[in-house]
Amino acid sequence: SYYRVELDGDLVVVLPKFLGIYKHSGIQILIDSAETGNLIIQPTVVEHKLWRHERKTLSNHTLFKYRYSLEACFNKNDLNEYLMKEITATNKANQTIDIESIDWMTSQ
C-alpha cells in the first residue's frame, strides 16, 4: 500500500483530474490546511463534501505549508520517536543520514 497526501485547498492536486490527464492512485490522506491537526484517511464522498472548505490556491502547494499542516497532526514526541526508528533502520542498512535535517525537523 502507498499513500497520497493532499492538503485541503491545494490547487495542484485537483488539476490532473480536472484536465483529465490521469487518475490519482494510492490511499488518500486529506489534511486540514488550517494547521489544526485534522486529517482523514481514505475519506468517503460525504466526508469530502463536508471537508472541502478551503479555497484552492497555489500557496497551499508549498512544502512549508504541507510540513506545518502535517506537524500539527502529531506532537513532538511522536516525531522524535519516528525519527529515531528511521535513524536506527538506516544505520542497520549501512546508509548515511543527514543529521542536520533531523535537527532542523525536531527543533521547530
Side-chain angles (χ1 to χ4, degrees):
S1 293
Y2 52 95
Y3 300 92
R4 175 173 41 98
V5 178
E6 291 182 13
L7 193 62
D8 184 34
D10 184 351
L11 178 64
V12 174
V13 299
V14 297
L15 285 179
K17 185 177 179 181
F18 176 73
L19 298 174
I21 298 172
Y22 64 88
K23 183 178 179 177
H24 288 294
S25 60
I27 298 171
Q28 182 186 31
I29 299 176
L30 188 57
I31 301 171
D32 185 11
S33 60
E35 299 173 21
T36 58
N38 297 315
L39 62 83
I40 301 175
I41 300 172
Q42 216 166 7
T44 65
V45 174
V46 173
E47 288 170 326
H48 263 284
K49 294 294 181 193
L50 295 174
W51 181 277
R52 301 275 183 176
H53 60 279
E54 184 77 24
R55 195 175 116 244
K56 307 289 186 251
T57 66
L58 281 176
S59 64
N60 280 344
H61 187 67
T62 65
L63 184 59
F64 288 110
K65 186 69 173 171
Y66 268 84
R67 177 181 172 214
Y68 296 139
S69 297
L70 275 169
E71 284 179 347
C73 297
F74 306 97
N75 66 37
K76 188 170 181 171
N77 291 334
D78 291 337
L79 179 60
N80 285 335
E81 181 180 336
Y82 169 77
L83 291 173
M84 288 291 107
K85 286 180 184 177
E86 287 299 308
I87 290 170
T88 303
T90 301
N91 287 340
K92 285 182 181 177
N94 293 325
Q95 297 174 350
T96 60
I97 192 158
D98 182 7
I99 298 298
E100 287 183 15
S101 66
I102 302 244
D103 290 341
W104 178 72
M105 287 189 282
T106 59
S107 67
Q108 300 299 316

